């Protein structure tokens, strides 16, 4: 039989020998301190516009730490993926994972009647123009005024749009 132990203490064992005679014994289970591995970054990390990022973790004094088999508390990464860090102390091993997503920052583009524009747009008094906004690199763009990708403008002023990628 197997006894699963989850805390330190003295455990009594009772059994019968081959002749059916009762026997008993005690076993002392002690608790060794673990590595106390802790991520110093978000486990679901989105990196926008940067070519690399540093993954960081900490452990208790005297514990060993390694990212992807490379010793040390920090690892510089440049690719999307799942990265594992391992802490070890007194034969106790603890692992954590970080899911890293690299993505470009979307660029906002403005258009009038299908033509991309930049800078000021001229408008005659009494007329209106529809300004369209879009984003590159899979981003979703919208005007701050109405939350849509098209805005009818009838007066001069500054109009602002926002682009978001992956939420």
């Amino acid at each position: 039989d197997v006894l699963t132990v989850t805390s330190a203490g003295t455990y009594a064992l009772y059994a019968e020998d081959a002749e059916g005679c009762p026997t008993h014994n005690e076993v002392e289970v002690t608790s060794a301190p673990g590595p106390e591995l802790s991520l110093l970054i978000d486990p679901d990390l989105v990196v926008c516009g940067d070519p690399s990022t540093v993954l960081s973790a900490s452990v208790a004094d005297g514990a060993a730490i390694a990212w992807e088999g490379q010793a040390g508390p920090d690892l510089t990464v440049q690719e999307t993926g799942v990265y594992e860090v391992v802490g070890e102390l007194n034969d106790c091993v603890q692992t954590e994972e970080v899911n890293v997503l690299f993505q470009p920052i979307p660029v906002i583009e403005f258009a009038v009647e299908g033509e991309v524009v930049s800078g000021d747009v001229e408008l005659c008094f009494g007329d209106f123009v529809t300004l369209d906004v879009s984003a590159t690199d899979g981003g979703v763009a919208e005007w701050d005024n109405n939350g849509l990708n098209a805005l009818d403008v009838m007066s001069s002023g500054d109009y602002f749009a926002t682009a978001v990628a992956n939420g």
Side-chain angles (χ1 to χ4, degrees):
D1 291 334
V2 175
L3 173 66
T4 302
V5 176
T6 58
S7 60
T10 302
Y11 294 87
L13 307 172
Y14 297 94
E16 291 182 1
D17 65 15
E19 286 80 40
C21 297
T23 184
H24 71 280
N25 202 346
E26 290 183 349
V27 63
E28 181 73 24
V29 175
T30 59
S31 177
E36 299 177 27
L37 179 63
S38 177
L39 293 175
L40 301 178
I41 53 169
D42 190 325
D44 292 308
L45 184 62
V46 178
V47 182
C48 297
D50 289 326
S52 66
T53 192
V54 177
L55 307 180
S56 297
S58 66
V59 290
D61 288 341
I65 185 170
W67 283 94
E68 298 293 315
Q70 181 179 329
D74 302 319
L75 178 69
T76 300
V77 297
Q78 298 172 329
E79 294 181 15
T80 292
V82 177
Y83 295 88
E84 182 181 71
V85 60
V86 178
E88 186 172 354
L89 181 65
N90 299 322
D91 294 326
C92 295
V93 176
Q94 186 179 354
T95 62
E96 294 284 347
E97 289 184 342
V98 176
N99 185 19
V100 179
L101 173 64
F102 284 93
Q103 65 183 36
I105 296 175
V107 175
I108 294 177
E109 293 180 340
F110 302 99
V112 174
E113 297 179 6
E115 294 292 321
V116 175
V117 295
S118 63
D120 294 339
V121 175
E122 297 284 328
L123 179 65
C124 294
F125 183 77
D127 287 345
F128 80 93
V129 66
T130 300
L131 299 175
D132 296 310
V133 64
S134 62
T136 62
D137 296 315
V140 176
E142 61 185 35
W143 289 102
D144 293 352
N145 305 55
N146 64 7
L148 301 174
N149 64 352
L151 179 67
D152 290 333
V153 175
M154 293 176 257
S155 61
S156 63
D158 293 327
Y159 298 91
F160 300 94
T162 303
V164 177
N166 291 327

